[in-house]
Amino acid sequence: MTKSKRRFLPIVCLLIVSALFGTIGAYTGAKAETAPTVLTDLQKDANFDATAYPVIESDYSLQVIQIAESTDGELLVYVYVPSVKLEATSINISTAINDSLKYVNYPLTLADSAETLHKYRVGNFAVKPDALRYYDISAIYRKFNEAIDEKPTDDNTITEVSYLVGELWTAATVNGAITYTHMTTETVVVTDKHVGFIRYPNGFSLSIRECDSHYVAFTTDKDVNRLMDADVFFVSRGKHYQQSWGSTTTYDDPVSQTVTLSDVETGNYKGNGWFAHEYSWKRIEKVSDFVADKDNNLSDETKRVLANKHWVLRFYESSFEIVTGGGNVSETSTEVTDVTILRLKFETDGVVYNLGAVDNKQSADDKPDNKPPKTFAEKFWEWLERAWNWLIKAWDWIKANWKWIVGVLIGVVVLAFVIKFIRWVLD
């Protein structure tokens, strides 16, 4: 039995008792109202003590203290914000457990606050009609704040900072009353990461059409012998640049995406230009293999940034195109931002873990992390240049040594006649 299954055995017994007696949990009662204040909701629990949540101005964390389902079918999350000034922006929740864990990053909207206590609505979420409902919360986010947060040392930017929650909440409806219970869960924390992309050429063609392979390299607080699969969240939007007499840049609407990657899957790209090379890569690989792959042709700066990372997730491909004509330049690409790892399934010392990840939302700059391979045209002109330089050097050498060359040629001719004469005499 894997550890991910064993760690949830206690909840089975807990839920059985809860279903029979309806008395286990933070509190038991009807569904919460969406409109009332945060204190009104929290004081439904007889054990709630507002003085346990003081103002601590130097503490910039977010701490989930309770959840509730509203009469409108919304999910409400109650958060302790010690510094008062900050607000939560999103949260990772899985409504399935064990091997079926599937975290979704949901936006949060502030519904009410009372100093350090905040009440949030979970956006794009509808409470299930099941009698027993799971809410496995791995992490909660707030906006990056330059005044208090440390910037990445590479070319990346952080958009949202994550905080560990690591709690499994359950809501059980028995005889019209809802009982909430919760237990702590294990998570994996991403301690360092870099987001970037590699640009693969299309081959020789009249226009530039290339492939951008987006990746995230990272390390965690746990030893990982084998990374089996992962869920990655990111936001993408098309970018269109036009240059004629002036220049304009427009963007498509952003699209939030979550992809699942496996260590047995591969990605590939082959351009349709002349002499196009076919590129292929593993979706999940070690950083050492990623750096050693000559097709990636990473820049020295990228190699330096990746030196302390352990794993790479190749999570998305997009196209890059430049079209010129009539004095106009049109460039189309895809901007990828807010990259965060939601879940990691891995093996360590023979034990398989399937855990929610705690990871910031991070974005790369708009420059590829590799030195793009030379196109056919570039290689052809380099060959012509080398051939021309060789001819020039050869001509200079001939001019400097023409007397010796003439002498050698005359000597060869004379020798040939002498050999021919000797053969005639002998015959």
Side-chain angles (χ1 to χ4, degrees):
M1 181 182 294
T2 65
K3 185 169 183 179
S4 61
K5 291 182 179 179
R6 290 200 304 269
R7 69 190 180 101
F8 286 113
L9 283 178
I11 196 62
V12 176
C13 299
L14 182 65
L15 293 174
I16 292 175
V17 176
S18 177
L20 290 174
F21 301 102
T23 58
I24 298 177
Y27 64 89
T28 303
K31 289 188 175 183
E33 298 289 340
T34 302
T37 67
V38 60
L39 289 178
T40 300
D41 289 347
L42 292 175
Q43 287 169 350
K44 292 179 181 179
D45 178 7
N47 298 318
F48 173 74
D49 179 10
T51 62
Y53 305 98
V55 174
I56 308 175
E57 293 183 355
S58 60
D59 186 344
Y60 307 116
S61 67
L62 306 174
Q63 302 172 36
V64 174
I65 59 175
Q66 180 67 48
I67 69 164
E69 298 170 341
S70 76
T71 54
D72 297 329
E74 294 181 316
L75 182 64
L76 305 173
V77 177
Y78 301 84
V79 182
Y80 170 41
V81 186
S83 66
V84 180
K85 300 176 182 179
L86 303 173
E87 286 188 16
T89 51
S90 62
I91 192 168
N92 294 343
I93 303 175
S94 173
T95 55
I97 60 174
N98 295 338
D99 291 337
S100 299
L101 274 177
K102 190 69 175 180
Y103 291 96
V104 176
N105 180 250
Y106 295 100
L108 293 175
T109 302
L110 183 64
D112 185 57
S113 65
E115 204 166 41
T116 64
L117 298 172
H118 288 194
K119 173 182 177 180
Y120 293 93
R121 296 187 184 92
V122 179
N124 306 324
F125 188 96
V127 173
K128 294 182 177 180
D130 305 344
L132 182 62
R133 301 166 296 281
Y134 298 104
Y135 303 103
D136 191 321
I137 306 176
S138 58
I140 189 169
Y141 300 77
R142 64 166 173 81
K143 286 185 178 180
F144 178 85
N145 188 318
E146 291 187 358
I148 59 178
D149 296 320
E150 186 176 348
K151 295 180 180 179
T153 57
D154 54 10
D155 55 27
N156 283 193
T157 55
I158 297 175
T159 49
E160 291 185 36
V161 179
S162 63
Y163 288 92
L164 186 153
V165 178
E167 291 187 351
L168 170 62
W169 289 82
T170 62
T173 302
V174 180
N175 297 325
I178 301 177
T179 299
Y180 296 94
T181 64
H182 81 281
M183 62 181 291
T184 59
T185 59
E186 191 173 6
T187 59
V188 55
V189 179
V190 175
T191 56
D192 192 14
K193 78 172 183 179
H194 171 77
V195 179
F197 67 94
I198 295 173
R199 181 162 291 165
Y200 294 119
N202 180 60
F204 178 70
S205 61
L206 297 179
S207 61
I208 298 175
R209 294 184 181 89
E210 301 178 328
C211 172
D212 288 345
S213 174
H214 302 268
Y215 73 90
V216 53
F218 64 98
T219 55
T220 72
D221 64 341
K222 301 184 186 300
D223 292 330
V224 177
N225 298 147
R226 176 194 170 194
L227 184 53
M228 304 166 68
D229 59 65
D231 292 337
V232 179
F233 169 91
F234 62 97
V235 177
S236 65
R237 62 174 181 172
K239 179 181 178 181
H240 309 278
Y241 172 80
Q242 298 282 344
Q243 182 177 357
S244 182
W245 294 105
S247 61
T248 58
T249 302
T250 58
Y251 296 90
D252 298 335
D253 292 334
V255 178
S256 298
Q257 303 184 56
T258 299
V259 295
T260 298
L261 310 174
S262 169
D263 65 344
V264 298
E265 295 177 340
T266 59
N268 61 83
Y269 169 74
K270 184 177 182 179
N272 54 16
W274 295 350
F275 311 104
H277 178 67
E278 184 171 2
Y279 301 90
S280 64
W281 54 86
K282 293 181 179 179
R283 287 295 179 190
I284 299 176
E285 62 182 336
K286 293 183 177 180
V287 164
S288 56
D289 296 330
F290 178 71
V291 173
D293 190 341
K294 294 182 179 180
D295 282 345
N296 294 336
N297 197 27
L298 298 175
S299 67
D300 293 338
E301 175 61 19
T302 300
K303 291 178 181 179
R304 183 192 66 79
V305 169
L306 298 182
N308 62 341
K309 313 295 190 297
H310 294 161
W311 292 94
V312 171
L313 303 176
R314 309 286 293 271
F315 62 90
Y316 182 63
E317 288 77 50
S318 61
S319 61
F320 174 79
E321 182 176 2
I322 297 178
V323 178
T324 60
N328 298 322
V329 177
S330 174
E331 179 181 306
T332 302
S333 60
T334 299
E335 184 182 76
V336 173
T337 60
D338 299 336
V339 179
T340 185
I341 300 170
L342 299 179
R343 180 187 61 87
L344 294 174
K345 184 176 182 181
F346 57 94
E347 182 180 344
T348 299
D349 296 331
V351 180
V352 175
Y353 299 82
N354 188 35
L355 305 178
V358 182
D359 182 29
N360 296 334
K361 290 185 180 180
Q362 199 159 310
S363 307
D365 64 4
D366 59 357
K367 299 178 179 61
D369 282 354
N370 64 325
K371 297 175 287 187
K374 295 181 176 64
T375 64
F376 171 78
E378 290 172 330
K379 292 179 179 179
F380 177 73
W381 285 111
E382 284 185 357
W383 178 84
L384 286 180
E385 184 178 5
R386 288 196 299 269
W388 178 253
N389 290 335
W390 183 87
L391 289 173
I392 292 175
K393 290 180 180 179
W395 179 247
D396 290 340
W397 183 84
I398 290 172
K399 288 192 299 182
N401 300 277
W402 68 271
K403 293 181 180 179
W404 286 99
I405 296 172
V406 171
V408 170
L409 290 176
I410 293 174
V412 170
V413 172
V414 171
L415 180 61
F417 277 109
V418 170
I419 293 173
K420 187 174 182 181
F421 176 75
I422 293 174
R423 286 181 176 175
W424 177 76
V425 171
L426 292 178
D427 291 341

